[in-house]
Amino acid sequence: MAENNAKTSYTAADIEILEGLTGVRKRPAMYIGSTNLNGLHHLVWEIVDNAVDEALSGYGKTIVITIHKDGSLSVLDEGRGIPVDMHKSTHMPAVQLIFSTLHSGGKFSNKVYTSSAGLHGVGSAVTNALSLYCDVTIFRDGKINHLRFEDGGKLVTPLEVLGTTKKHGSLIRFKPDPKIFSSVEFKYDTICAHVQESAFLLKGVKFIVIDEREGKKVEYCYEEGIKEYLSTLNANKTPMGDIIFFEGEESSIKMEFAIQYAYKDYSETIYSYANNVRTRDGGTHESGFKAGITKAVNDYAEENNLLKGKAKLEGGDIREGLTAIISLKIPEQKIEYEGQTKHKLGTPEALTIVNNFIYTNFTYYLNEHKEFAVNLIRKCVDSQTARIAARKAKDEARSNNKKSKSEMILSDKLTPAQSKDYDHNELFIVEGDSAGGTAKSGRDKIHQAILPLRGKPLNTEVVTKDRMLKNEEFATLISTIGAGVGEDFNPDNSHYGKVIIMTDADTDGAHIQTLLLTFFYHYMKPLILKGKLFVAMPPLYRVWKEVNHKINYRYAWDDVDLEKAKKEIGPGYKVNRYKGLGEMNDFQLWESTMNPKTRQLLKVSIEDPLLAEQRVNVLMGNDTQIRRKWVEENVNFNEVDSFMDEVK
Ligand code: TSJ
């Protein structure tokens, strides 16, 4: 309406805004991490998070996410509607500012607990800046308000009132710009997995995901929240006792815990969250949780004379077979993270609060459930006994200084590192003997070991554990890493701080990578969870030019990078294309792919535990039809998608 868009001339604010959004388009990765599929979906999370925040504040119980046929995506909530009132100094409606200025979020909200999933804390403006269009409809105060941006955030339809309504809420529809992203195809499965995780954490909020391209639709709504999350994770296990659930609040920190033990399970699975964002590397809340459980179990065992003269239980003894979900809501001003990313909670208060809370409540629970308590302590003592026996056997093997049979097999294949500083050693699993040879002469002999692989590894998804163990390649790999396998695998015993898969950048290489990842996922999952498994990124090109008998050169990792490299080297450049690792000489392989100072590595992560399980089964299982369909729909080997996570 006229009075709402009475702007006729450019102001300083307009110019600032324009520059802000242009900046996002110039350096999108700074705001969304990357311009691959991960980055594309960041746009979605950024928008959805706003709707989630509104629901978290108590407004609106349903959020609808729709992938439209034109490649756009919309998010609809039933909240109060984004404010449309005029902002004083800029003479712009608040909603317009929200979509056109960076970091404006805080100015318009006084929320206490906000989710902040975006790695870089970016705003709706970033999504707008990276879209062909962004269409905003707000149902508020009985009116349907509308405005529209096009071509990277240019306002083409100022705020107008389209009619009246009894509804309230916000509807945002945007279409990502293919000039920015390597792919603009939203993935239904990726969106579902993320949304399901949010739904587990937001008790009672209903999420609907619709894919109009293929007529698919799913609803996620969990009245029981993280309890249902845990029962989904443990669906295929043999539980020991019920799901234990605690919730409480202390100094404005709200906490929820779901805990369950399982028989025949020796792994420890803890998923922790702060303000609905996964804290993948744990932090103070997780440490407090572990300390609380350890003390509660030890005190109980001692008071009831269940240890019978044995030593105190270690934390690890108590956590074998444990699955737990920890969810904390921490007020904005108290939230702190460790490191650059938001993967590790740093808030010191969370440690003591959680520790005391868990100690008190778990102690109470044990006293109220004697049978469970006795079973649990028996299981812990078994773990303790096994741990002590394993340590003893290892010490003996070491003092005998004899090589075991498996160690002898590996000795002629493995080129070991000279250092015994395991944490700083790196194992390169290399495709093919010839690349293995190059890697052997190019490596840092002190800290890098090379294990060449011949041919395609066995598909461990479709064979039994016995057959896998008889396979020479895997037997060698297991003894090389030296930390056991399957239930007995202990990442703390790994002979390498980093295990790096290095294959050619072609489809065969990608297949080998997948087969190895499948193996690690099934038999050495804790290695992945501890962030010790990586994929090397060999460059695809080397751009060079001779100037005054000197060669200037630079490697390039993809086609976009290649264009940059050509510009940097300047007219007269020549390009080598590497079809495989074998086409590089030892120095080139070292400086481009192996040297920690110059290489690019991808850390393998299990972004979403539920989806990862599903994916591995679909991709590697026996049902070739499902598999082919999945591969056709999802696999893009030119691109690193959410199965992995970029580090350097
Ligand atoms: F729908 C959506 F998910 F796409 C989306 C919803 C996207 C964006 C960018 C924002 C929202 C959104 C924002 N939903 N609800 C709100 N609420 C507010 O911005 C709001 C409403 C009222 C008040 C108030 O104090 O009256 C304050 C705020 C922050």
Side-chain angles (χ1 to χ4, degrees):
M1 291 225 131
E3 73 259 30
N4 271 355
N5 50 61
K7 281 169 58 68
T8 47
S9 64
Y10 263 101
T11 65
D14 291 287
I15 292 161
E16 205 178 289
I17 284 162
L18 215 62
E19 282 174 353
L21 295 193
T22 319
V24 176
R25 289 179 66 81
K26 275 194 189 134
R27 308 178 137 232
M30 254 184 64
Y31 298 89
I32 53 168
S34 69
T35 53
N36 59 21
L37 280 178
N38 277 321
L40 180 76
H41 289 90
H42 254 295
L43 304 185
V44 184
W45 320 147
E46 188 51 51
I47 296 297
V48 171
D49 279 351
N50 288 290
V52 165
D53 274 350
E54 185 74 359
L56 213 60
S57 309
Y59 303 97
K61 285 217 162 300
T62 306
I63 297 171
V64 187
I65 297 148
T66 309
I67 309 172
H68 298 280
K69 283 191 174 143
D70 70 345
S72 67
L73 182 142
S74 69
V75 183
L76 169 69
D77 72 19
E78 294 178 350
R80 292 164 293 179
I82 306 170
V84 292
D85 51 313
M86 201 57 89
H87 189 252
K88 291 214 176 60
S89 57
T90 54
H91 301 288
M92 279 185 212
V95 58
Q96 187 185 332
L97 268 174
I98 286 167
F99 278 89
S100 46
T101 52
L102 299 171
H103 311 296
S104 64
K107 286 190 225 162
F108 302 94
S109 72
N110 44 9
K111 289 166 282 188
V112 185
Y113 308 98
T114 60
S115 72
S116 37
L119 197 62
H120 307 271
V122 296
S124 332
V126 170
T127 300
N128 190 16
L130 302 177
S131 293
L132 287 179
Y133 71 73
C134 184
D135 204 276
V136 183
T137 311
I138 296 158
F139 309 94
R140 194 182 159 96
D141 301 330
K143 292 182 194 136
I144 304 171
N145 304 273
H146 170 260
L147 70 168
R148 182 179 170 96
F149 303 87
E150 282 181 14
D151 192 20
K154 297 185 186 103
L155 183 70
V156 292
T157 312
L159 186 65
E160 59 188 349
V161 174
L162 295 179
T164 59
T165 181
K166 288 204 171 78
K167 286 199 295 189
H168 48 91
S170 307
L171 170 66
I172 288 43
R173 177 165 171 171
F174 67 96
K175 183 172 174 174
D177 189 340
K179 293 191 285 301
I180 302 283
F181 296 95
S182 54
S183 163
V184 286
E185 208 175 302
F186 290 116
K187 300 277 183 200
Y188 180 69
D189 289 347
T190 304
I191 292 171
C192 287
H194 186 98
V195 165
Q196 188 184 24
E197 192 184 22
S198 301
F200 278 130
L201 294 163
L202 286 157
K203 238 184 276 198
V205 176
K206 187 199 283 180
F207 289 82
I208 303 173
V209 183
I210 300 167
D211 189 343
E212 288 183 346
R213 299 169 306 187
E214 308 190 31
K216 289 192 264 196
K217 177 177 171 180
V218 65
E219 274 187 36
Y220 301 104
C221 181
Y222 303 101
E223 296 297 341
E224 303 275 304
I226 61 170
K227 250 190 266 183
E228 281 179 89
Y229 191 178
L230 196 116
S231 69
T232 311
L233 284 173
N234 275 1
N236 298 319
K237 295 187 184 167
T238 318
M240 181 172 106
D242 299 329
I243 293 175
I244 304 165
F245 179 78
F246 303 131
E247 66 184 319
E249 181 172 343
E250 180 68 48
S251 312
S252 306
I253 294 181
K254 297 179 190 172
M255 27 186 182
E256 281 186 43
F257 306 87
I259 303 164
Q260 191 174 42
Y261 279 89
Y263 290 113
K264 292 185 273 180
D265 179 7
Y266 304 92
S267 59
E268 162 188 336
T269 311
I270 300 177
Y271 294 119
S272 61
Y273 295 85
N275 295 353
N276 304 314
V277 181
R278 172 94 188 273
T279 35
R280 216 185 304 161
D281 300 330
T284 47
H285 51 347
E286 220 175 289
S287 305
F289 174 81
K290 289 178 180 174
I293 293 274
T294 306
K295 187 160 160 49
V297 172
N298 267 310
D299 285 3
Y300 183 89
E302 208 161 292
E303 272 160 32
N304 294 279
N305 197 23
L306 295 165
L307 289 180
K308 309 217 168 61
K310 286 187 159 61
K312 258 190 155 185
L313 298 163
E314 285 187 6
D317 302 333
I318 296 169
R319 293 192 300 274
E320 278 198 1
L322 168 76
T323 304
I325 295 162
I326 303 172
S327 173
L328 261 68
K329 307 267 162 64
I330 303 171
E332 197 73 349
Q333 77 270 14
K334 287 192 180 183
I335 206 146
E336 287 174 33
Y337 294 98
E338 273 174 45
Q340 281 100 324
T341 59
K342 290 187 170 175
H343 300 320
K344 190 168 186 185
L345 186 70
T347 308
E349 230 183 323
L351 196 145
T352 38
I353 289 177
V354 172
N355 185 355
N356 292 336
F357 180 84
I358 286 293
Y359 175 69
T360 310
N361 284 279
F362 204 63
T363 299
Y364 184 80
Y365 187 90
L366 291 173
N367 282 303
E368 292 284 299
H369 299 82
K370 293 273 179 218
E371 194 187 318
F372 168 77
V374 169
N375 281 340
L376 173 61
I377 293 188
R378 195 177 295 144
K379 185 173 169 31
C380 297
V381 170
D382 285 350
S383 305
Q384 183 194 42
T385 310
R387 168 174 58 81
I388 293 168
R391 199 170 287 169
K392 204 169 144 211
K394 206 172 157 189
D395 288 349
E396 273 169 16
R398 216 173 264 161
S399 64
N400 287 343
N401 203 17
K402 267 197 225 139
K403 279 191 174 165
S404 71
K405 199 171 144 216
S406 58
E407 272 174 322
M408 283 194 294
I409 302 174
L410 74 94
S411 57
D412 60 337
K413 281 195 172 182
L414 176 78
T415 307
Q418 287 167 0
S419 166
K420 288 281 171 270
D421 179 4
Y422 291 160
D423 275 354
H424 291 100
N425 282 357
E426 302 181 339
L427 176 68
F428 282 84
I429 305 169
V430 184
E431 172 185 359
D433 279 337
S434 98
T438 316
K440 189 176 155 181
S441 46
R443 82 201 156 114
D444 160 10
K445 295 186 170 50
I446 309 292
H447 290 300
Q448 295 181 331
I450 309 296
L451 182 68
L453 279 185
R454 238 166 263 152
K456 291 267 166 85
L458 194 66
N459 182 355
T460 50
E461 184 68 32
V462 295
V463 302
T464 61
K465 187 175 175 188
D466 269 3
R467 259 201 67 201
M468 183 279 293
L469 289 172
K470 288 202 183 95
N471 175 270
E472 206 185 308
E473 308 283 343
F474 282 127
T476 309
L477 181 57
I478 293 162
S479 59
T480 301
I481 293 174
V485 64
E487 290 164 358
D488 303 323
F489 182 78
N490 181 350
D492 298 334
N493 294 340
S494 170
H495 289 187
Y496 301 91
K498 289 192 169 76
V499 174
I500 301 167
I501 300 171
M502 185 159 77
T503 59
D504 291 340
D506 59 10
T507 43
D508 264 0
H511 191 207
I512 292 173
Q513 227 176 67
T514 311
L515 291 164
L516 287 170
L517 290 173
T518 304
F519 165 80
F520 282 110
Y521 182 78
H522 279 294
Y523 294 108
M524 297 192 181
K525 197 180 289 170
L527 192 80
I528 304 179
L529 296 173
K530 286 243 164 166
K532 293 183 177 187
L533 184 64
F534 297 82
V535 174
M537 292 283 280
L540 294 181
Y541 306 100
R542 180 170 175 270
V543 183
W544 60 279
K545 184 171 71 178
E546 195 178 316
V547 182
N548 304 329
H549 307 289
K550 215 182 124 252
I551 291 186
N552 290 343
Y553 66 95
R554 149 149 158 32
Y555 297 100
W557 273 265
D558 57 36
D559 291 347
V560 177
D561 199 25
L562 174 64
E563 294 312 312
K564 261 197 241 158
K566 286 177 182 170
K567 284 210 184 86
E568 277 176 37
I569 298 296
Y573 63 79
K574 295 202 170 61
V575 178
N576 300 129
R577 191 190 146 87
Y578 295 125
K579 291 199 200 69
L581 300 168
E583 295 185 1
M584 283 185 244
N585 67 31
D586 50 2
F587 177 71
Q588 290 167 345
L589 186 62
W590 159 252
E591 64 169 358
S592 68
T593 313
M594 298 177 73
N595 180 353
K597 295 210 171 74
T598 49
R599 71 190 176 193
Q600 305 197 12
L601 279 189
L602 298 173
K603 188 191 275 183
V604 177
S605 67
I606 305 174
E607 273 294 335
D608 175 10
L610 300 162
L611 187 69
E613 194 86 49
Q614 224 170 302
R615 269 191 203 202
V616 169
N617 289 337
V618 172
L619 187 59
M620 303 308 294
N622 254 330
D623 187 339
T624 47
Q625 276 216 310
I626 302 186
R627 186 169 70 231
R628 189 166 337 108
K629 188 164 177 297
W630 195 92
V631 170
E632 278 165 11
E633 283 173 2
N634 293 285
V635 176
N636 178 0
F637 285 118
N638 295 321
E639 169 143 75
V640 178
D641 77 5
S642 55
F643 202 79
M644 297 167 205
D645 163 33
E646 262 168 279
V647 283
K648 267 194 210 165

